[in-house]
Amino acid sequence: MYEGFKSMSPVIQALIATLFTWGMTAAGAALVFFSKGTNQKFMDSMLAFAGGVMIAASYWSLLAPAIEMASDQAVPQWFPAVVGFLLGGFFLLLVDKLLPMFKNYPYLHDIDTNDNKRRTTLLVFSMTLHNIPEGLAVGVAFGALASSFSEAALAGAIALGIGIGIQNFPEGVAVSMPLRREGMSRKKSFFFGQFSGMVEPISALIGATAVIYIEPLLPYALSFAAGAMIFVVAKEIIPGSQEKGNTEIASISLLIGFAVMMTLDVALG
């Protein structure tokens, strides 16, 4: 099975990987069929775990390969990683500034409106926006294989997909459960919960195709995805996991998430 996957084009590999991450989002959203509510400590720990996964993936699966690839370019080896990383973070900051409809990021929060339809729209839209850099990251990681294939690089891309899939599970829960609490049916709550992950295969295809045809941009693209992911972790995931007072379990869960993703990357890569 692994040999068959390895023989596929990077674009198809990226698509398969992000179909898995989308499936994990759907699996998390499916909990709405089996549970009437969520345990806050569990949600906070899962959210922090996801943050740890994203931090580790940002370095081992994105920044480290970007720095290595930049050794063949005319600019200093650190330059593409620094520029891409900062651009990724500032891009999401700009997106935040251009979305005045949000008073606060609605990830596991109540949205500041009394209109249930608007609340649903904002919750799903915000989570979908959050998933774009994750899909791009997976797409870019697999797209990089077209120019510099190695078993280690393939393993790192697979580990990134697995790690993002793991952290997508609580994201699906974070959308479907609040919608259910608002009175939406279980089926609709599940539909909107899994829908937020649908953007990942699309953005992965864009990322993989772009870096294949514009190879010099590859280190910048990898670093861009890393910067976007770190921005999400710093601005949304870590504060969101600790705002209910579960700081210790959230901190420990973040460490565990980092360790799991680090192990996946190092063991597979």
Side-chain angles (χ1 to χ4, degrees), residues 13-95:
Q13 290 172 340
L15 176 62
I16 292 173
T18 45
L19 287 175
F20 165 73
T21 63
W22 179 15
M24 290 296 287
T25 305
L31 288 185
V32 75
F33 292 112
F34 309 104
S35 174
K36 294 182 179 180
T38 55
N39 180 281
Q40 189 62 50
K41 283 189 176 181
F42 172 76
M43 289 301 300
D44 288 345
S45 62
M46 287 293 288
L47 187 58
F49 179 90
V53 167
M54 292 174 71
I55 293 171
S58 295
Y59 175 72
W60 272 279
S61 295
L62 298 171
L63 282 175
I67 294 170
E68 183 178 350
M69 291 173 187
S71 62
D72 297 329
Q73 298 193 356
V75 297
Q77 191 170 2
W78 52 265
F79 185 80
V82 171
V83 171
F85 183 82
L86 292 178
L87 284 176
F90 282 119
F91 172 75
L92 284 198
L93 178 62
L94 179 63
V95 169

Side-chain angles (χ1 to χ4, degrees), residues 63-267:
L63 282 175
I67 294 170
E68 183 178 350
M69 291 173 187
S71 62
D72 297 329
Q73 298 193 356
V75 297
Q77 191 170 2
W78 52 265
F79 185 80
V82 171
V83 171
F85 183 82
L86 292 178
L87 284 176
F90 282 119
F91 172 75
L92 284 198
L93 178 62
L94 179 63
V95 169
D96 268 2
K97 296 297 183 183
L98 294 178
L99 292 174
M101 66 185 73
F102 300 120
K103 181 177 180 181
N104 292 303
Y105 191 87
Y107 194 81
L108 293 178
H109 297 267
D110 291 327
I111 297 174
D112 189 29
T113 175
N114 292 320
D115 186 332
N116 285 343
K117 186 175 180 180
R118 179 174 170 80
R119 181 183 290 111
T120 300
T121 301
L122 295 184
L123 177 59
V124 175
F125 180 76
S126 64
M127 191 61 70
T128 301
L129 180 68
H130 168 97
N131 284 335
I132 290 175
E134 297 175 6
L136 283 173
V138 175
V140 168
F142 279 101
L145 300 175
S147 60
S148 56
F149 177 85
S150 68
E151 291 287 345
L154 176 60
I158 293 173
L160 177 63
I162 292 173
I164 289 179
I166 291 171
Q167 67 94 35
N168 274 4
F169 184 85
E171 289 183 1
V173 179
V175 176
S176 64
M177 287 300 187
L179 295 181
R180 177 59 181 164
R181 287 199 300 268
E182 293 296 333
M184 187 175 288
S185 71
R186 294 183 189 275
K187 288 184 178 180
K188 283 188 175 181
S189 298
F190 166 75
F191 172 79
F192 286 115
Q194 64 81 33
F195 182 84
S196 64
M198 191 180 296
V199 71
E200 290 192 3
I202 298 171
S203 54
L205 290 176
I206 294 172
T209 304
V211 298
I212 287 173
Y213 288 101
I214 315 175
E215 188 176 329
L217 288 181
L218 184 52
Y220 297 92
L222 287 167
S223 304
F224 182 94
M229 288 174 66
I230 291 295
F231 180 87
V232 170
V233 172
K235 186 176 184 294
E236 313 298 346
I237 291 183
I238 292 178
S241 68
Q242 299 188 4
E243 69 171 2
K244 299 297 184 181
N246 297 315
T247 56
E248 289 186 1
I249 191 170
S251 298
I252 293 171
S253 297
L254 186 141
L255 293 175
I256 294 173
F258 185 96
V260 168
M261 187 61 200
M262 177 175 62
T263 301
L264 283 173
D265 252 316
V266 175

